[in-house]
Amino acid sequence: MHIDLSLPLTKKNFDDLAAATSSRPHYALELFGHVGTHLDLMGKPWPQEYFARSGRIFDVRHIRGRDIDAGDLTVDAIRSGEFVFLRTGVLEEHAYASKDYIHAPVRLSWNLLETLLQKKVAMIGVDCAGVRQPEEHKKADLLCAEAGAFVVENVYNLDALCETAGATAFMVRTFPLRLEDATGLPCRIVAEFADA
C-alpha cells in the first residue's frame, strides 16, 4: 500500500508564481523551488541515501497557543536517520498558500528542533508553511540543514498517514527535482506499507 504525501498543485499555483516573479524573472527558479511539497536544501548537498528512509509520524494537532515541544512527542521512539512527520492540522484547516495558512500560529520549539537534530533524524516533514514563523523560517531551516536534517514543508495527506501508520514505523520514498543552485527542491513523497 502507498500513500502519496505530495501536495497537488493547480494551474493557479503556477499563475501566482508567474505573477510574483514577472518583474524579477531571475527569482523564478528560486521561488519555484519552494512551491508545494518541497525540502529546504539551503545550499547543502542532497544525500542519495535519503531517497529511502524509515518514517514515523506524530499527531500534534491538539497543541495550540504554544510551541510544539520535545515533551509532546515520544522522542525515545525516534531512530537515527528517520523521516519524522508532524501532523499539525494546518493544511487540513486552511487553503495552501493563503494568508491564514502562511501565518498559522503553529511552530516547533527550538528545543524540539535541537532534540530531533540530536537524534540525527534525516528529515522533518510538516503540513504547514514551515517549522517556525516567517521571521525565523530561514534560521530554522539553516540550523537543520547544517546538521544534515532537511525540513520538508507543505506535506499532504497526513491524516491518511496517521490513520494507516499509527505509532509504527514505515518506509518513505522521497524524490526531489534536480534544480541546480536552488535552496528548495519540490519533491514527490510516498509512504510505503508492506501488504497485510
Side-chain angles (χ1 to χ4, degrees):
M1 176 182 173
H2 296 87
I3 299 175
D4 191 341
L5 305 176
S6 313
L7 180 73
L9 295 175
T10 65
K11 181 180 182 302
K12 182 183 182 315
N13 297 128
F14 289 96
D15 289 346
D16 291 347
L17 175 65
T21 60
S22 62
S23 63
R24 302 176 290 167
H26 60 282
Y27 186 61
L29 177 65
E30 180 62 22
L31 195 56
F32 174 70
H34 294 270
V35 171
T37 304
H38 68 276
L39 63 92
D40 287 330
L41 201 56
M42 306 311 288
K44 298 299 175 187
W46 170 254
Q48 287 197 355
E49 62 269 20
Y50 284 19
F51 282 121
R53 297 277 93 190
S54 176
R56 189 170 305 276
I57 186 163
F58 296 94
D59 192 339
V60 292
R61 288 174 298 157
H62 61 285
I63 300 168
R64 292 292 188 261
R66 65 173 177 84
D67 288 0
I68 300 163
D69 203 21
D72 298 315
L73 277 59
T74 312
V75 293
D76 290 344
I78 299 170
R79 301 290 172 248
S80 176
E82 283 189 324
F83 192 143
V84 173
F85 295 92
L86 292 112
R87 180 187 181 194
T88 69
V90 172
L91 189 54
E92 295 167 53
E93 297 167 15
H94 304 289
Y96 166 68
S98 67
K99 185 176 180 180
D100 288 339
Y101 179 78
I102 292 168
H103 296 284
V106 173
R107 60 186 178 253
L108 278 57
S109 72
W110 291 109
N111 173 260
L112 174 53
L113 290 174
E114 290 288 357
T115 299
L116 293 173
L117 298 181
Q118 288 169 8
K119 288 289 212 173
K120 299 188 183 313
V121 301
M123 293 186 279
I124 303 165
V126 292
D127 57 348
C128 54
V131 296
R132 297 291 298 172
Q133 292 295 300
E135 62 276 6
E136 296 179 318
H137 188 126
K138 186 175 180 180
K139 179 181 176 183
D141 287 348
L142 281 169
L143 173 74
C144 294
E146 290 285 341
F150 299 103
V151 174
V152 181
E153 298 161 351
N154 311 315
V155 180
Y156 182 72
N157 244 354
L158 291 188
D159 52 343
L161 185 61
C162 271
E163 186 177 316
T164 304
T168 62
F170 47 90
M171 181 57 67
V172 184
R173 311 257 181 217
T174 304
F175 305 99
L177 291 182
R178 294 181 71 175
L179 300 180
E180 296 295 325
D181 304 318
T183 59
L185 299 178
C187 49
R188 193 75 182 257
I189 302 174
V190 177
E192 184 178 277
F193 297 87
D195 292 333

